[in-house]
Amino acid sequence: MSKKLGFIGCGNMGKAMIHGVMASGKAQASDILASAKTESSREKNAAELGIRLTADNKSVAEFADIMFLAVKPQYYEEVIAEIKDTVNDDEIIVSIAPGKSLSWFDEMFGKSLKVIRTMPNTPAMVGEGMMGVCANERVSQAELDTAVSYTHLRAHETRGNL
């Protein structure tokens, strides 16, 4: 059974990840909901990717089993404040922002959720990248493996509060 994937942010990295997961066959367009700030971006990405897009980040958080936070790091606090009461305890949150520790996510959400930090490199945008991965203790190995499989990248993982 495929997971429902949410992408908050559909810029270069978000779009690259969506392209990769769809090309891999791991998800269909109906399994994906993404948000984008502007109407023009939503229209362009809907036409290019064939997925549903919304301006409402809460809708993405409600929809997703695995939610990718694919916005620029300076927008994380604003986005988390908007969605923190919508995210459920079983949802897996995947961050692509550098410099945001696992404990920072606990602090911002006001509770401990299933969080995976990733650090993809720029070749990821053409499907040739790698990434570092770090998950908190709430994420099982099976959940980590599943979430990483949707990134379509080779990963080097670690555990701990990085």
Side-chain angles (χ1 to χ4, degrees):
M1 177 173 135
S2 64
K3 298 285 188 184
K4 294 185 294 182
L5 306 179
F7 289 83
I8 294 182
C10 199
N12 289 335
M13 287 304 292
K15 192 176 351 182
M17 291 179 1
I18 293 168
H19 273 297
V21 73
M22 290 179 65
S24 73
K26 290 183 185 267
Q28 304 300 313
S30 61
D31 299 324
I32 301 170
L33 177 64
S35 65
K37 272 188 169 184
T38 66
E39 181 66 29
S40 63
S41 180
R42 290 189 297 276
E43 289 174 2
K44 177 184 172 204
N45 286 316
E48 180 181 334
L49 299 167
I51 63 169
R52 292 174 293 139
L53 278 109
T54 181
D56 184 10
N57 293 332
K58 286 182 182 180
S59 294
V60 176
E62 288 170 352
F63 171 84
D65 298 314
I66 301 173
M67 181 176 54
F68 293 86
L69 294 178
V71 296
K72 292 183 175 152
Q74 62 266 31
Y75 299 119
Y76 266 61
E77 285 188 43
E78 174 185 338
V79 167
I80 290 171
E82 183 181 348
I83 66 169
K84 71 180 186 178
D85 295 328
T86 308
V87 174
N88 70 62
D89 290 346
D90 291 326
E91 192 167 348
I92 298 170
I93 299 163
V94 180
S95 164
I96 65 166
K100 306 293 185 193
S101 69
L102 293 171
S103 60
W104 183 88
F105 283 97
D106 288 349
E107 183 181 322
M108 291 296 105
F109 277 101
K111 58 186 171 183
S112 182
L113 296 168
K114 296 179 180 186
V115 178
I116 301 170
R117 289 183 60 210
T118 67
M119 191 63 230
N121 60 2
T122 54
M125 296 187 339
V126 293
E128 294 296 327
M130 295 180 66
M131 69 180 173
V133 178
C134 179
N136 69 10
E137 70 284 347
R138 294 205 63 218
V139 180
S140 71
Q141 187 63 48
E143 289 169 326
L144 179 61
D145 293 344
T146 298
V148 167
S149 77
Y150 284 109
T151 67
H152 202 61
L153 298 171
R154 294 179 302 275
H156 173 76
E157 74 180 64
T158 187
R159 289 286 178 153
N161 194 16
L162 301 177

